Amino acid sequence: MNTTEKLRITRQFQEKMDYDELLNCMRCGFCLPTCPTYIESGKNELHSPRGRIALMKAVVDGDIEPDEEVKRSLDMCLGCRACEPVCPSGVKYGHLLEEARDIIYQNKKPSLPVKAVRHLVFEQLFPHQNRMTGLVGLLGFYQRSGLSSFVRKTGVLKIFPETMQLMEKALPTVAKVKEIKNRAEHLEPVGPKKKNVAFFSGCLMDTVFMKTNEATKKLLQYAGCDIVIPKTQACCGALHGHSGEKEKAKEMAKRNIIAFEQAEVDYIITNAGGCGAFLVDYDHLLKSEPEWADRAKAFTDKIKDITSILVELHFHQQPLKLKDDVLTYQDSCHLRNGQKTFIQPRQLLQSMKGSHYVEMKNADRCCGSAGIYNIVESEMSMQILDYKMKETKKTQAKTIVTSNPGCLLQMKLGIEKEGLQNEMRAVHIVDLLLEAYENANIS
């Protein structure tokens, strides 16, 4: 960073950072054992929540400059928010991290390649669902045409980092563009109606993981929900918010609030932990805009994860059956730490006949996915994944269950990395629940 950039960033830290929240950190260290980057970096305080808060406060106080070391410390953070539930002072670390990253990225001049990639991802791709659909259509062609087999056989993928090579294998087989586009906007319940809900489709979930979205809607129907799927909804904005693009995140939030306001429903249902955690934070994101604050609060009050509503509607008491399976569960960090949802997925998994549930040690520790972290911080991500796979293998599970697309891909990547493709699978909890329900009720 040059001197002008540092001065500008320091000034904005002083103007925008919540100083009272920075002071709330008592430096007690309760957060340290929960932080994957602190543990995997050899207990380096710069890569702990306490250390990062100290750096932010030091910049605000003018004790240090916002140099590359500060930026590196913030970039290394997964944003898993595991520090928040254990903090005696209730420090909103996630809010501090997002504000600090936004200030740095909006005031630091990036290199031309980085600027081009950020422009493509944050402005040209994720805000436009039709473009996401088109891109996924190309991925589908790559998979179905035999081109993927050809590429693997020729060794072309070896020019990419190992993480990218494994991820290519871990990607699900995506639906055709026609299937993605031609779907209902309203679905009636199977049996008596118990709740009116709206479904948040997401961007990646509604393209790459479309089959999981379809499974989610089927489960809601079986549980007695009348479902509306607003056509004008957009990406949740999480990737923008976590990557220093706060204004773009606000744009996405406003689009979604408008899209769902007209739906007279009891809940807005999500099936991706990362999306859900960002959606429930819309009231914080828009708190400084009076014309949006109340509307954002009304929106966030309705957000509910699919596992929560299923337990509320006693879905776990219906017949659910698997065939000789051993299950373990990998928590979605944001579902657990952001939405405070972790009991319900376990209730559902433990209710399945023909299976045995084994709790994984430190199931709540991040798997290392964290949005695009496993691409931009591959080395640290793989260290964290190696630990996760070690604990997974101890459970002797045949099926690893997750509740977030990033976690699902990361665990599939871990299975590929360990060569366990014939012994273990990773599935989204929704897909497993549908399998168990249909095994027991539709045969």
Side-chain angles (χ1 to χ4, degrees):
M1 298 182 193
N2 60 42
T3 303
T4 302
E5 285 174 345
K6 289 178 182 178
L7 288 172
R8 190 163 57 238
I9 290 169
T10 298
R11 186 167 60 250
Q12 292 210 8
F13 259 71
Q14 293 167 343
E15 292 172 356
K16 294 184 176 182
M17 293 300 296
D18 187 335
Y19 197 69
D20 289 338
E21 197 67 64
L22 291 172
L23 289 175
N24 277 342
C25 176
M26 301 184 300
R27 304 183 185 181
C28 63
F30 277 36
C31 60
L32 301 182
T34 72
C35 178
T37 55
Y38 172 73
I39 295 166
E40 295 298 334
S41 65
K43 298 186 177 180
N44 184 340
E45 278 278 2
L46 283 176
H47 299 313
S48 73
R50 178 173 71 176
R52 292 180 180 110
I53 290 173
L55 289 176
M56 295 178 208
K57 183 176 180 298
V59 172
V60 174
D61 291 340
D63 294 333
I64 64 171
E65 293 184 328
D67 57 17
E68 289 297 332
E69 187 175 50
V70 173
K71 180 180 178 297
R72 183 69 189 131
S73 175
L74 298 178
D75 284 346
M76 185 64 79
C77 182
L78 292 148
C80 67
R81 296 169 61 180
C83 50
E84 291 186 14
V86 300
C87 178
S89 301
V91 175
K92 301 296 184 184
Y93 173 79
H95 294 166
L96 293 172
L97 177 68
E98 287 179 7
E99 191 68 63
R101 280 178 171 171
D102 184 63
I103 292 169
I104 288 174
Y105 277 97
Q106 293 306 312
N107 288 282
K108 183 183 183 301
K109 188 176 180 180
S111 65
L112 285 176
V114 170
K115 184 177 181 180
V117 169
R118 291 180 69 88
H119 177 77
L120 175 65
V121 171
F122 297 126
E123 296 188 34
Q124 298 301 317
L125 185 56
F126 277 87
H128 306 282
Q129 192 65 7
N130 61 328
R131 295 177 190 175
M132 290 286 293
T133 301
L135 183 62
V136 170
L138 292 176
L139 174 60
F141 173 78
Y142 168 79
Q143 292 175 331
R144 288 186 293 272
S145 66
L147 186 58
S148 60
S149 298
F150 173 77
V151 167
R152 290 172 193 173
K153 287 176 183 177
T154 57
V156 172
L157 288 172
K158 290 182 180 178
I159 65 173
F160 295 100
E162 182 188 8
T163 306
M164 297 289 286
Q165 296 176 43
L166 293 171
M167 195 171 293
E168 188 270 345
K169 293 180 181 178
L171 286 171
T173 301
V174 301
K176 296 178 180 179
V177 171
K178 187 176 180 180
E179 293 178 277
I180 295 174
K181 288 184 175 180
N182 297 331
R183 282 177 290 162
E185 296 174 40
H186 175 250
L187 294 167
E188 295 181 351
V190 175
K193 182 170 76 171
K194 298 178 182 178
K195 293 289 180 181
N196 290 311
V197 303
F199 178 56
F200 183 81
S201 303
C203 46
L204 284 177
M205 286 304 300
D206 212 37
T207 49
V208 177
F209 297 93
M210 191 201 87
K211 292 178 182 177
T212 300
N213 266 8
E214 294 303 295
T216 304
K217 287 180 275 189
K218 281 186 179 180
L219 288 177
L220 289 170
Q221 287 180 285
Y222 290 142
C225 295
D226 189 271
I227 313 162
V228 293
I229 306 100
K231 195 173 183 178
T232 55
Q233 63 180 290
C235 167
C236 68
L239 188 61
H240 298 78
H242 300 327
S243 304
E245 296 285 345
K246 192 174 180 180
E247 290 307 311
K248 293 288 187 302
K250 287 183 178 181
E251 289 177 21
M252 298 295 98
K254 292 171 185 177
R255 283 175 60 182
N256 283 320
I257 290 168
I258 292 169
F260 283 89
E261 275 179 332
Q262 297 177 5
E264 297 181 1
V265 294
D266 302 302
Y267 302 122
I268 299 169
I269 305 301
T270 69
N271 63 1
C275 294
F278 200 73
L279 294 171
V280 298
D281 249 1
Y282 276 5
D283 55 343
H284 173 78
L285 184 67
L286 298 171
K287 68 177 182 179
S288 61
E289 301 188 30
E291 68 274 27
W292 285 97
D294 289 343
R295 295 167 73 180
K297 185 66 169 62
F299 177 90
T300 61
D301 284 346
K302 291 185 177 182
I303 298 297
K304 188 179 284 285
D305 182 69
I306 177 66
T307 59
S308 291
I309 191 171
L310 289 178
V311 169
E312 181 179 320
L313 297 177
H314 308 294
F315 190 81
H316 58 304
Q317 295 174 5
Q318 296 196 36
L320 300 170
K321 185 179 180 182
L322 294 175
K323 298 175 183 177
D324 187 29
D325 209 345
V326 181
L327 313 175
T328 194
Y329 181 66
Q330 163 60 26
D331 282 286
S332 156
C333 297
H334 287 99
L335 182 60
R336 185 180 183 110
N337 303 322
Q339 292 180 265
K340 316 301 180 189
T341 301
F342 53 92
I343 295 172
Q344 297 90 331
R346 289 169 169 80
Q347 284 180 282
L348 290 160
L349 294 175
Q350 290 168 358
S351 70
M352 296 181 184
K353 306 299 181 186
S355 67
H356 175 59
Y357 177 79
V358 181
E359 182 71 13
M360 184 196 307
K361 181 183 177 182
N362 292 329
D364 58 344
R365 185 184 293 184
C366 184
C367 64
S369 173
I372 59 171
Y373 187 93
N374 56 2
I375 297 173
V376 298
E377 298 291 348
S378 178
E379 184 178 350
M380 177 59 75
S381 175
M382 291 303 100
Q383 280 183 239
I384 293 167
L385 179 59
D386 287 344
Y387 170 83
K388 185 60 63 175
M389 291 307 300
K390 181 179 74 173
E391 297 303 330
T392 300
K393 285 188 284 187
K394 288 179 183 177
T395 68
Q396 298 185 322
K398 296 180 182 179
T399 301
I400 311 169
V401 186
T402 74
S403 46
N404 187 61
C407 302
L408 178 60
L409 282 180
Q410 185 80 339
M411 298 314 294
K412 285 187 173 186
L413 193 154
I415 291 171
E416 290 282 344
K417 195 167 183 281
E418 296 289 330
L420 299 172
Q421 302 91 320
N422 298 323
E423 303 171 32
M424 189 182 290
R425 64 173 177 162
V427 300
H428 192 290
I429 191 169
V430 162
D431 295 306
L432 190 70
L433 283 168
L434 184 62
E435 178 186 331
Y437 180 88
E438 293 186 342
N439 281 344
N441 298 278
I442 306 172
S443 57

